Amino acid sequence: MSKVPSLQINEMGYDMIQVAGRPFSLASTMDLGRIERVIIRQMINSPELFSYFSMNELQFEINIRKNIMESAKEMNESQVTFTIFENASCNPAYWTLTNSGGFLLRPDVQPSDAILDIYENGSLYGFECATAIIIIYYRAILKSIGKHHFNSLFQNLYLYSWHTDPDLDLHIFYGNHVSPGDVVYFNNPEFHPNASWYRGLNAVVLSDETFFGHGFGIMTAEQIKEFLNSQRFPGSMQPAYLANLITRISPVTLQKLLSIQSNRSSYKNPKIVIHHNLCSISSIHYQFYLSNIYN
């Protein structure tokens, strides 16, 4: 099972972050705040190699991770509610609620305004935890690139489960080390059939060994597992656990966002949407549905 690591730098030194082929050092000239340094230290502790062409690229990813955590905390403080797709709700001034429980951006609305409205008028919104993660990603990107560039990229948003705009690709993989801003999955394989939305929880890794999961709030891993275990069917033998599944915004997407040009073409091939009606599924579960369509 995955575990949030301590903040002590391991004996591997600074070799796990490389910029232009050279090891990165915290003594560099990057202007780092406290949260940024926590992110860097945990990346340094990772057995995974983080490689960047430039310091700007590294700094952009650190900023995205910080903004993912901030956006998760802001959602926790908002009045949005957790609900199943059948009972999903949104502000009709910004979104059209589809029969599948998804939110389709109105054509007369700026994408940035619609995303911000979820946070500002949260009492009008209800969605499940996979959709929450994608909203958090959009909010973090908006924080990172500003309204003008965000609106030029994401003109036809549709929020439903793990579905994303073509300009937002995800990197989904298995690993035993997480860093702040990663998204993990708490699996509850023997969930009670009368509460299928507790089959699991998608959660953002925060910088203080806690996690944000929509509908749960900010909790430790043990608190999340304890609650999920209370939602198992009688006689179940397998407890809930933190899976080693990690989801991030893909490196290709990060490079694209860093180099975005205001005059880019607005045309792009839309992604297929899988309307599965299963709340709280993992990112890899959704990718399985997609692979069956494309294959």
Side-chain angles (χ1 to χ4, degrees):
M1 293 185 292
S2 301
K3 181 180 179 181
V4 177
S6 69
L7 304 185
Q8 299 300 314
I9 297 178
N10 61 24
E11 296 178 356
M12 301 170 75
Y14 298 103
D15 293 337
M16 304 321 293
I17 300 179
Q18 293 184 0
V19 179
R22 297 183 177 183
F24 168 80
S25 170
L26 274 173
S28 72
T29 57
M30 277 183 66
D31 182 17
L32 297 174
R34 183 184 66 84
I35 296 299
E36 289 88 345
R37 286 183 175 272
V38 171
I39 296 170
I40 287 285
R41 286 178 182 272
Q42 293 204 18
M43 291 169 67
I44 289 171
N45 271 324
S46 173
E48 177 184 359
L49 175 62
F50 295 87
S51 182
Y52 305 92
F53 291 111
S54 67
M55 290 293 290
N56 283 343
E57 195 174 304
L58 168 59
Q59 196 158 19
F60 186 76
E61 176 166 340
I62 298 304
N63 192 47
I64 282 279
R65 287 178 175 273
K66 177 183 176 182
N67 288 337
I68 288 172
M69 289 188 289
E70 287 183 352
S71 299
K73 292 175 182 178
E74 289 170 0
M75 182 172 286
N76 182 58
E77 295 168 358
S78 72
Q79 294 182 306
V80 298
T81 58
F82 179 95
T83 192
I84 59 177
F85 289 111
E86 291 91 333
N87 299 328
S89 60
C90 58
N91 187 347
Y94 292 88
W95 306 91
T96 297
L97 180 64
T98 68
N99 292 334
S100 299
F103 306 160
L104 180 64
L105 183 70
R106 287 174 53 100
D108 57 338
V109 168
Q110 293 284 11
S112 59
D113 293 337
I115 291 296
L116 291 173
D117 187 69
I118 298 174
Y119 286 82
E120 294 168 357
N121 293 297
S123 61
L124 301 178
Y125 291 86
F127 44 81
E128 50 78 62
C129 68
T131 305
I133 296 298
I134 301 303
I135 293 170
I136 288 169
Y137 281 155
Y138 284 129
R139 178 70 180 106
I141 292 171
L142 175 56
K143 284 174 176 281
S144 302
I145 67 176
K147 288 186 176 183
H148 175 73
H149 291 318
F150 187 89
N151 291 334
S152 73
L153 279 177
F154 303 114
Q155 296 178 11
N156 300 293
L157 287 181
Y158 181 56
L159 304 177
Y160 179 89
S161 186
W162 284 99
H163 174 73
T164 63
D165 183 273
D167 279 315
L168 173 55
D169 285 323
L170 303 180
H171 179 38
I172 303 167
F173 64 101
Y174 293 100
N176 293 315
H177 186 102
V178 296
S179 298
D182 283 344
V183 170
V184 295
Y185 189 69
F186 290 85
N187 191 22
N188 191 20
E190 296 187 339
F191 59 89
H192 198 288
N194 293 335
S196 60
W197 48 90
Y198 290 130
R199 64 170 40 86
L201 176 69
N202 296 287
V204 175
V205 180
L206 303 180
S207 60
D208 59 354
E209 302 193 5
T210 62
F211 304 79
F212 167 75
H214 179 50
F216 282 61
I218 296 175
M219 293 183 172
T220 65
E222 292 306 313
Q223 288 171 330
I224 292 172
K225 289 184 287 186
E226 181 180 357
F227 181 83
L228 288 174
N229 285 334
S230 71
Q231 304 300 317
R232 292 153 57 198
F233 64 80
S236 60
M237 301 297 293
Q238 187 173 2
Y241 62 93
L242 176 55
N244 62 348
L245 178 68
I246 301 172
T247 303
R248 297 174 182 159
I249 297 176
S250 75
V252 171
T253 295
L254 292 177
Q255 291 173 3
K256 182 189 304 180
L257 294 173
L258 179 61
S259 60
I260 180 175
Q261 301 296 318
S262 60
N263 61 351
R264 64 172 276 119
S265 171
S266 60
Y267 175 78
K268 48 194 170 185
N269 292 320
K271 292 181 180 178
I272 292 175
V273 183
I274 306 297
H275 291 112
H276 50 75
N277 199 36
L278 298 177
C279 290
S280 306
I281 67 168
S282 68
S283 55
I284 201 70
H285 195 162
Y286 189 79
Q287 291 300 310
F288 174 77
Y289 288 145
L290 282 176
S291 66
N292 285 340
I293 293 293
Y294 286 109
N295 293 334

